[in-house]
Amino acid sequence: MVDTRIPPVREMDIDRPCAARVYDAFLGGSHNFGCERAFAERLERELPDIGETYRENRAFLRRVVEYLLAQGVRQFIDLGSGIPTIGHVHEVARRRTRDFRVLYVDNEPLTVAHSKPLLAGEPRAEIIRADCRDPNSVLKSPEAAELLDPAEPVGLLMAPVLHFIPDSDDPVALVETYRDALVPGSHLVISHLTGSHAPDEMRILAGHYAATADPLQPREVEWIEKLFGDFDIVRPGTTLLSDWRPEPGRTTAKQPYCLLHGGVARKH
């Protein structure tokens, strides 16, 4: 059953760190404030090299987009997108093809405000202010109707957003609603923070985020894997992000913290 509750509109909050701007700060972007940079510095002091976790998520996203393009997917919905810069979906796609469309979705007002000028010169990508907990606000938005072809497969990106959704909002049912809305040939992409591999480090990370505008809800690997439902899991399966189709010949060291788990699955 589809949950018809409408989540409250998110208000602007510049006094507490925002997840989208923290991510931007760790990626080396310029769309963040002093509170996000101070947060990143505190986190780095307690978890040295934690920035590699953020960069690995972005590298995973790049590999996923390239994989989906190779499978013929040409349109993407990025839920909880953050600020679309530093190698985001449209930047990866346009290196491969001129035939793509990207709908970015975020509910944080400043994130959307910062993003619109960045996308002004890219007619194949747009960002909307909507809450992914309200699928209708995304899938039935005027922007989705104009930009996306509902009869064609979509790459639905939840990377990373679900660990910001509390259990009280029933993320399992939410993902099921999105899965049901996708046409065959579409792909679901998930990355999610977990304490299954490094519980002590995960507790530290979650403790820091508890004081932000976006507290975390890490979950066990088994819980994350069930989100794909009956979709066909793409090899190598669900795994640590650094192990998902690493670039051939890549010889970098293992991630210092094993905190992100995810994968890709196709609707048959």
Side-chain angles (χ1 to χ4, degrees):
M1 180 179 296
V2 176
D3 189 346
T4 57
R5 292 175 299 174
I6 306 299
V9 175
R10 181 167 178 170
E11 301 296 334
M12 189 178 300
D13 183 352
I14 60 173
D15 295 322
R16 294 182 296 169
C18 156
R21 294 191 292 273
V22 168
Y23 196 10
D24 182 69
F26 272 113
L27 293 178
S30 59
H31 299 277
N32 52 79
F33 299 139
C35 63
E36 282 87 31
R37 293 190 289 274
F39 175 87
E41 290 171 1
R42 291 194 301 273
L43 194 54
E44 282 276 8
R45 283 197 295 271
E46 194 158 359
L47 294 173
D49 298 321
I50 188 63
E52 286 300 315
T53 299
Y54 296 80
R55 290 185 283 274
E56 183 52 56
N57 189 79
R58 182 50 55 91
F60 167 72
L61 182 67
R62 182 188 68 249
R63 298 194 302 273
V64 163
V65 171
E66 290 176 343
Y67 170 80
L68 294 181
L69 290 169
Q71 302 305 304
V73 176
R74 290 295 181 268
Q75 49 187 10
F76 302 85
I77 300 175
D78 188 356
L79 300 177
S81 63
I83 301 165
T85 186
I86 317 294
H88 223 321
V89 180
H90 71 286
E91 295 178 337
V92 176
R94 71 185 175 198
R95 291 200 294 264
R96 304 293 181 181
T97 179
R98 297 179 61 85
D99 177 24
F100 71 88
R101 285 90 64 207
V102 183
L103 181 67
Y104 292 113
V105 181
D106 208 285
N107 69 345
E108 202 280 316
L110 274 180
T111 295
V112 176
H114 284 157
S115 300
K116 284 187 176 294
L118 295 172
L119 298 173
E122 178 50 82
R124 296 159 293 191
E126 189 165 354
I127 189 167
I128 61 172
R129 184 182 174 190
D131 196 309
C132 69
R133 294 172 295 173
D134 177 13
N136 282 340
S137 72
V138 176
L139 301 174
K140 296 185 178 180
S141 66
E143 294 85 356
E146 181 177 348
L147 193 64
L148 307 176
D149 183 346
E152 292 296 319
V154 170
L156 181 66
L157 310 175
M158 293 182 163
V161 66
L162 291 170
H163 49 239
F164 294 116
I165 299 178
D167 290 340
S168 58
D169 285 326
D170 200 350
V172 173
L174 178 67
V175 175
E176 183 179 4
T177 298
Y178 279 106
R179 289 201 315 263
D180 290 345
L182 299 178
V183 302
S186 295
H187 289 70
L188 173 63
V189 178
I190 292 174
S191 72
H192 199 298
L193 283 166
T194 180
S196 293
H197 309 295
D200 293 339
E201 290 82 357
M202 188 66 252
R203 279 194 293 272
I204 293 170
L205 183 65
H208 279 268
Y209 269 87
T212 73
D214 300 289
L216 292 176
Q217 177 64 67
R219 297 181 172 101
E220 296 301 303
V221 161
E222 294 78 13
W223 187 96
I224 298 167
E225 291 172 344
K226 291 178 181 178
L227 295 174
F228 291 103
D230 63 352
F231 281 24
D232 298 325
I233 304 295
V234 172
R235 290 187 296 176
T238 61
T239 181
L240 291 171
L241 298 195
S242 57
D243 293 333
W244 195 90
R245 295 177 177 258
E247 296 171 359
R250 188 181 179 194
T251 56
T252 57
K254 277 287 186 183
Q255 290 296 305
Y257 307 105
C258 299
L259 299 175
L260 280 167
H261 191 89
V264 180
R266 182 182 186 274
K267 186 169 185 175
H268 49 262

